[in-house]
Amino acid sequence: MAESAQQFKVIIAGGSLVGLTTALALENAGIDFVVLERQEIAPHMGASISIHPHTQRVMEQLGAWPEIRAGIVPLENRQHYDEHGNLFEDSVILQEISKMTLNRCTAFMERRFWLKCLYNQIKDKSRIRANTGLASFVETEDGVEVTTESGETIKGDLLLGTDGIHSTTRRLLAEKIEGTNAAAAKEMREGFVSTYQCIFATSRNANAEGKEFLPDGWVHNVYYQGFSGVAAAGVSGLVFWFLFVKSDKVTKTPNTPRFTEEQTEAVIAKYGNHALGPGYTFKDLWHSRVKAAMVPLEEGVLKSKWNSGGRVALMGDSVHKATVNPGLGANLAVEGIVHLMNELVPLVRRCAADGARKPTKSELAAVLDTYETKQRPHASTIVTMSGYITRYEAMDTWWLRALRRLSPWVSDRTKANGFVGYINEGPWLSFLPNPDEQMKN
């Protein structure tokens, strides 16, 4: 690649899954970048995350999959229990999905583990700046300049906000457009609602007597009216679990609640004695916890434009946030990265070949608009579907309760076919070899 293309620089605000995956993709494309993360990289918060076959393909392209695969146990069996502890569906849908997707798997792991696997693949670690938060930015015709919380200035050509649901980049963008588009600024601030809250935790996969909660590779779902639970043994020795509870009131960003440890313990006191799986309760898992927290489940797709019309764009949870029940949010975010990279990388390379120049502001704006056009439909589908599943599992209405009784009569293969249709639409990085071709040969 021409030298000036190397000088094109992307500033990534947020060392999240989206931020590190974007960084690794840019490094593979030979494009300069810097990641600014307010905290440490891959902190231990107790959060877990799922990966589906189409996202596995992208991780294969980026070289991160071997390390991920070595640390997880593929999920294969899923059992569904009603409020009385009765097993009403014994499912092998995850095995069916694997058969239909070149034997790729569905997996659950610690969020920090996935982040570390991405970080380990990045060759130039000096480009990853921990404890360096974004404070402000100035966008011009020729570039973008950010100021960090310590007062340092960093210049680049494109700023990507990958800093999550409470995005500083989105807040700053809202402030900049307030005077010219108050409605869009309000949407950026208040575009996500929360109706449910969730305790997420990582626990040791054994109770006080040393008895295993569930076998490796298994998932348990339980359905109660107004709340539900999921436990997944996706890593040997650990169980990742969730308690989903309908909140007392609906809230909006930026005023969704921040829960204290006392509030979390109060929820466990209220619901903890209910069974999540055969022979164990939420409280049993709580007592075996390694790390846990309670958060609101924000959901929504930002209706306003996802970019500034020039050199600043938002990605991942900062523009589309799904409830976590089906575990699709991170996978959706990776789709967005691929859509953006598949537009940006060819543009940078064309400009390098065209007189060794950088992309103009208008060229970047067109790329960012195309990324949004490609990502928005799937984002709307996944956010809507995830919210529906959250309400289905909590038996939110009489017809959802009735639908749960019909579910066992639909074959796993039929259900898998529907989900694989979505997976097959998943994009891959067009500037790297597609591993599907090698797997088919």
Side-chain angles (χ1 to χ4, degrees), residues 59-324:
M59 294 299 110
E60 290 168 8
Q61 289 188 287
L62 294 174
W65 180 246
E67 185 177 359
I68 294 172
R69 179 62 185 87
I72 56 96
V73 178
L75 300 177
E76 295 186 342
N77 300 284
R78 190 165 197 162
Q79 293 184 323
H80 300 261
Y81 294 88
D82 67 16
E83 64 270 35
H84 305 297
N86 299 315
L87 174 65
F88 69 87
E89 187 171 358
D90 200 353
S91 171
V92 292
I93 185 174
L94 300 175
Q95 296 178 43
E96 293 292 341
I97 291 170
S98 180
K99 293 174 189 175
M100 298 177 190
T101 55
L102 299 175
N103 292 316
R104 292 191 173 104
C105 68
T106 302
F108 234 96
M109 70 200 83
E110 289 184 282
R111 177 182 179 272
R112 66 169 180 162
F113 171 70
W114 193 347
L115 294 183
K116 285 180 178 178
C117 292
L118 291 165
Y119 179 79
N120 289 343
Q121 286 299 311
I122 295 172
K123 295 179 177 62
D124 188 352
K125 303 291 193 294
S126 68
R127 297 180 182 183
I128 312 297
R129 303 278 304 277
N131 303 307
T132 308
L134 172 69
S136 64
F137 70 83
V138 176
E139 184 181 358
T140 69
E141 190 67 29
D142 300 320
V144 61
E145 182 177 293
V146 307
T147 302
T148 69
E149 291 175 337
S150 66
E152 179 185 2
T153 59
I154 300 173
K155 294 182 179 181
D157 300 286
L158 178 66
L159 170 62
L160 299 177
T162 63
D163 41 358
I165 185 66
H166 301 293
S167 170
T168 298
T169 314
R170 190 181 68 233
R171 176 179 60 78
L172 293 171
L173 194 53
E175 290 173 0
K176 290 182 181 295
I177 66 173
E178 180 76 58
T180 56
N181 194 338
K186 185 176 189 228
E187 169 66 14
M188 285 188 175
R189 294 191 185 98
E190 302 178 7
F192 303 91
V193 300
S194 174
T195 306
Y196 284 78
Q197 62 204 54
C198 166
I199 292 178
F200 65 83
T202 300
S203 294
R204 294 175 295 277
N205 193 6
N207 63 17
E209 290 73 42
K211 182 181 177 183
E212 187 177 68
F213 291 118
L214 69 169
D216 285 352
W218 285 64
V219 182
H220 288 160
N221 280 73
V222 67
Y223 302 73
Y224 296 95
Q225 192 165 342
F227 68 102
S228 63
V230 180
V235 172
S236 184
L238 296 177
V239 56
F240 308 111
W241 61 276
F242 303 83
L243 169 57
F244 304 102
V245 178
K246 192 168 186 177
S247 303
D248 294 333
K249 62 178 181 179
V250 177
T251 56
K252 287 185 177 182
T253 53
N255 298 314
T256 52
R258 303 289 183 96
F259 296 107
T260 64
E261 187 174 339
E262 290 74 19
Q263 289 173 309
T264 306
E265 289 177 346
V267 170
I268 289 294
K270 183 175 181 179
Y271 299 99
N273 289 326
H274 291 83
L276 199 168
Y280 68 95
T281 65
F282 289 104
K283 190 171 286 185
D284 292 330
L285 289 166
W286 177 257
H287 290 320
S288 291
R289 71 190 182 280
V290 177
K291 197 81 172 176
M294 184 163 69
V295 296
L297 294 183
E298 298 96 347
E299 53 188 316
V301 178
L302 207 62
K303 297 181 180 67
S304 57
K305 197 171 182 177
W306 295 357
N307 66 73
S308 65
R311 297 179 177 273
V312 182
L314 302 170
M315 303 175 71
D317 283 356
S318 69
V319 285
H320 45 65
K321 183 71 165 63
T323 55
V324 303

Side-chain angles (χ1 to χ4, degrees), residues 78 80 88-97 100 403-420:
R78 190 165 197 162
H80 300 261
F88 69 87
E89 187 171 358
D90 200 353
S91 171
V92 292
I93 185 174
L94 300 175
Q95 296 178 43
E96 293 292 341
I97 291 170
M100 298 177 190
L403 188 62
R404 195 206 72 193
R405 302 184 192 285
L406 295 175
S407 178
W409 297 92
V410 181
S411 73
D412 284 335
R413 187 164 186 81
T414 298
K415 292 173 187 171
N417 267 320
F419 187 65
V420 169

Side-chain angles (χ1 to χ4, degrees), residues 15-49:
S16 59
L17 170 71
V18 180
L20 293 181
T21 303
T22 301
L24 185 54
L26 289 169
E27 187 173 69
N28 273 268
I31 296 175
D32 194 12
F33 67 89
V34 62
V35 175
L36 309 179
E37 169 52 45
R38 174 173 280 111
Q39 304 177 63
E40 62 180 294
I41 301 296
H44 188 8
M45 300 184 297
S48 54
I49 198 165

